[in-house]
Amino acid sequence: MTSSEKIVVVGGGCAGLSAADTLQRAGLDYVLLEAGDRVGGRVGNRTNGSSTWAIGATMTEPQWETTGQYLRELGILDEVRKVRTQCFGMWDGQRTWYLTLGRGMRPAQLWHFLRGALPLSVYLQAIRFGATVLPHLVKAGPASRKYDLSWLSRLQATTTAQFGRRHGGPEFTDRILGPFLATMVLGRTTDVSIALPLATLALMRGMRTLEGGMASITDALHDRVQDHVRLSTPVEEIVVENGAVTGVRTPEGVVAASAVICATDAQVARRIIPALPGRMADDLSACSYTSTYNYVFGLERRVVPDDFVSLMIPESEDSILVRAFDENCGAFGQRGPRGSGLMHAFTAGWHDDTLVAMDEPTRRRAVISEMQRFFPEFPDEPAFTDVIRWDRALCQQSPEQLEAMTDLRGHLDDVEGLHLAGEYLFVNSTTEGALRTGRRAAEQVISRR
Ligand SMILES: Cc1cc2nc3c(=O)[nH]c(=O)nc-3n(C[C@H](O)[C@H](O)[C@H](O)COP(=O)(O)OP(=O)(O)OC[C@H]3O[C@@H](n4cnc5c(N)ncnc54)[C@H](O)[C@@H]3O)c2cc1C
């Protein structure tokens, strides 16, 4: 490849922006083609009056290598907020019990919670589970922090439900592991590999948010690369001829290129690269995603305690909701008028058959009435409602997918000039995976020039 030959980045989410920024800093010419009318992908902000809420990601970990580098380079490290007090809501089938952990922990509330919220069997099963898992986490800790999660490879074929029931018990799996996965990937224990929660625990050092939301990262990256970004330009095909990339086809015509970084999700990548070798195509096809309607309700008054982080809904409840949190409270900072609520509710993808068939007012009403069950003070008519549909919200990290991604990582060089990037290539479904794989893909392009 000569330096006059074009480099195309497809997709302007975290992975694409990170790739673009890396190319830019190396002084290379490139163009980033984004299908939508904004960059950021599964990261962004929306506003209504003085309220601002996140679309997609909300939490981060500045000790994650690439995230930390970007926070420093972009000058936004001081926007990081440690979530020192975390209040969880636990639904027991009748009512929501609250438990505050961290700095604001209150012994009386803890005692009340321990006695009433969960059956004794959950605690005993949690101890059993911890006794199995903790030694692994401790032993693998230093390697995990360098993203060496090879210790998980022999576990990845096991689902969280299988592992949880075997090493903990059914109630622990239902009440703790299920809601944990719902919060992480909006997924179910029967679908998700045990490698995901274990990898997450190994990589986690406490929750963090950014003052301006995660969009602080994507906005700052966009500022640096915006002269090279073309919005509303969907790539219809990445053209591969004789085992090498020759360009991309868009509605406006073909852009010749000798290097293409495909930074879309795995399913789009599979669709727009029809000439992919069979093995890579099969691996990408194995990548499945959770789906959700993310409702955001503006409330005149907050209906959860300060520092509320998440509602834990047992899997056996089979609710249409998997996750709920208020973005205008302690954990997330102030994102709206003081005392008001910015309540997120996420529907369960496995109820899509019912939910997708509903018209929007009916679906909204169903979500509100479920919120009222969990939070009795939730009003009939929120001040405003926003809804974001994610057909592909988060990589599900099923056993089949993890196996396919391990295989795919060994075939990333099979097409000359084609580079894949995106969170699906990483060990868990996070912005770190997207930023990191985007940067890696660009570094490969740079090293081959
Ligand atoms: C509800 C939700 C909550 C989350 N919470 C967190 C969290 O708290 N912390 C965390 O770290 N992560 C979280 N994530 C995950 C995180 O947002 C993603 O892992 C990450 O943003 C993915 O980035 P990406 O660049 O790989 O993909 P994307 O963000 O999906 O970017 C892909 C881009 O490609 C574009 N595109 C698609 N097709 C084409 C085409 N044909 N041509 C051109 N462009 C195209 C898309 O429009 C998009 O902009 C969450 C995700 C969701 C949905």
Side-chain angles (χ1 to χ4, degrees):
M1 183 164 52
T2 66
S3 57
S4 61
E5 287 172 324
K6 196 98 186 161
I7 304 165
V8 177
V9 179
V10 182
C14 287
L17 289 169
S18 167
D21 178 63
T22 308
L23 294 171
Q24 178 132 327
R25 279 184 295 118
L28 298 186
D29 191 21
Y30 65 92
V31 61
L32 186 155
L33 305 179
E34 163 57 47
D37 59 6
R38 54 171 274 275
V39 293
R42 283 171 274 166
V43 170
N45 277 333
R46 283 192 186 168
T47 54
N48 180 319
S50 53
S51 299
T52 302
W53 58 95
I55 49 176
T58 45
M59 296 281 183
T60 189
E61 299 255 356
Q63 89 282 352
W64 287 342
E65 196 179 26
T66 319
T67 305
Q69 282 166 3
Y70 273 123
L71 291 171
R72 280 188 294 278
E73 284 169 26
L74 298 168
I76 49 177
L77 195 59
D78 58 352
E79 276 197 31
V80 175
R81 297 166 42 94
K82 185 164 169 35
V83 182
R84 293 184 193 282
T85 307
Q86 299 156 17
C87 173
F88 292 91
M90 178 85 64
W91 175 252
D92 74 352
Q94 307 288 326
R95 57 167 282 197
T96 299
W97 297 75
Y98 291 103
L99 176 65
T100 305
L101 299 173
R103 234 182 223 177
M105 198 159 151
R106 283 174 286 137
Q109 188 202 44
L110 177 64
W111 178 239
H112 184 62
F113 181 93
L114 289 175
R115 287 185 49 202
L118 294 167
L120 181 64
S121 55
V122 173
Y123 300 112
L124 297 175
Q125 291 170 17
I127 293 168
R128 262 188 79 202
F129 184 83
T132 307
V133 161
L134 272 178
H136 286 292
L137 290 177
V138 170
K139 213 164 99 196
S144 302
R145 281 193 263 290
K146 293 191 191 106
Y147 297 124
D148 173 6
L149 295 170
S150 46
W151 59 282
L152 279 173
S153 56
R154 70 187 170 81
L155 294 176
Q156 75 185 26
T158 309
T159 65
T160 304
Q162 289 165 336
F163 190 91
R165 289 189 190 127
R166 195 176 313 139
H167 298 287
E171 288 89 6
F172 171 72
T173 305
D174 182 44
R175 302 283 194 103
I176 307 293
L177 284 178
F180 180 62
L181 283 191
T183 304
M184 290 302 306
V185 286
L186 310 172
R188 274 188 298 198
T189 56
T190 44
D191 298 325
V192 179
S193 164
I194 186 64
L196 173 75
L198 295 187
T200 303
L201 287 173
L203 298 175
M204 230 163 85
R205 284 212 224 133
M207 295 179 184
R208 304 282 199 284
T209 54
L210 292 182
E211 241 156 62
M214 292 295 285
S216 291
I217 298 180
T218 47
D219 288 352
L221 281 174
H222 184 219
D223 284 349
R224 281 162 48 152
V225 301
Q226 58 184 322
D227 291 346
H228 297 255
V229 173
R230 271 167 43 194
L231 296 176
S232 306
T233 311
V235 168
E236 294 165 339
E237 183 181 347
I238 296 176
V239 186
V240 176
E241 285 166 359
N242 302 321
V245 157
T246 58
V248 302
R249 188 163 50 77
T250 74
E252 289 145 33
V254 172
V255 181
S258 54
V260 175
I261 296 175
C262 182
T264 66
D265 67 64
Q267 290 186 5
V268 170
R270 170 74 190 87
R271 178 168 54 78
I272 65 175
I273 325 175
L276 213 51
R279 186 126 182 203
M280 289 177 83
D282 290 347
D283 287 342
L284 283 175
S285 301
C287 194
S288 57
Y289 289 80
T290 51
S291 58
T292 192
Y293 290 94
N294 174 191
Y295 280 84
V296 182
F297 298 108
L299 309 182
E300 269 157 27
R301 252 177 1 96
R302 184 185 304 146
V303 297
V304 290
D306 292 350
D307 303 306
F308 180 72
V309 170
S310 194
L311 174 68
M312 301 190 63
I313 310 166
E315 273 192 335
S316 56
E317 189 70 22
D318 205 24
S319 168
I320 58 163
L321 298 185
V322 274
R323 184 183 180 202
F325 68 91
D326 189 326
E327 203 178 331
N328 190 38
C329 69
F332 300 91
Q334 199 173 330
R335 306 274 282 161
R338 200 170 289 281
S340 68
L342 261 178
M343 206 72 186
H344 285 254
F346 294 85
T347 62
W350 51 95
H351 284 297
D352 259 3
D353 282 352
T354 315
L355 292 163
V356 173
M358 289 176 178
D359 59 27
E360 177 47 37
T362 312
R363 193 166 46 235
R364 175 176 173 275
R365 198 37 53 212
V367 170
I368 289 177
S369 84
E370 194 66 342
M371 289 296 270
Q372 288 176 324
R373 201 158 69 91
F374 299 133
F375 308 104
E377 289 174 45
F378 197 92
D380 274 337
E381 269 316 319
F384 64 83
T385 304
D386 183 26
V387 58
I388 305 137
R389 169 66 187 176
W390 297 108
D391 285 328
R392 295 177 298 282
L394 289 129
C395 265
Q396 181 144 255
Q397 312 285 11
S398 64
E400 299 73 32
Q401 179 191 330
L402 289 177
E403 196 186 323
M405 290 310 108
T406 306
D407 186 66
L408 182 61
R409 282 192 284 270
H411 290 272
L412 288 176
D413 290 333
D414 284 7
V415 178
E416 196 186 320
L418 176 68
H419 305 268
L420 299 180
E423 110 282 13
Y424 63 91
L425 291 164
F426 192 59
V427 289
N428 63 7
S429 309
T430 56
T431 45
E432 167 69 7
L435 293 168
R436 189 175 179 83
T437 54
R439 184 175 267 190
R440 280 275 163 85
E443 283 167 355
Q444 269 182 354
V445 172
I446 295 162
S447 72
R448 286 172 197 181
R449 291 178 77 84

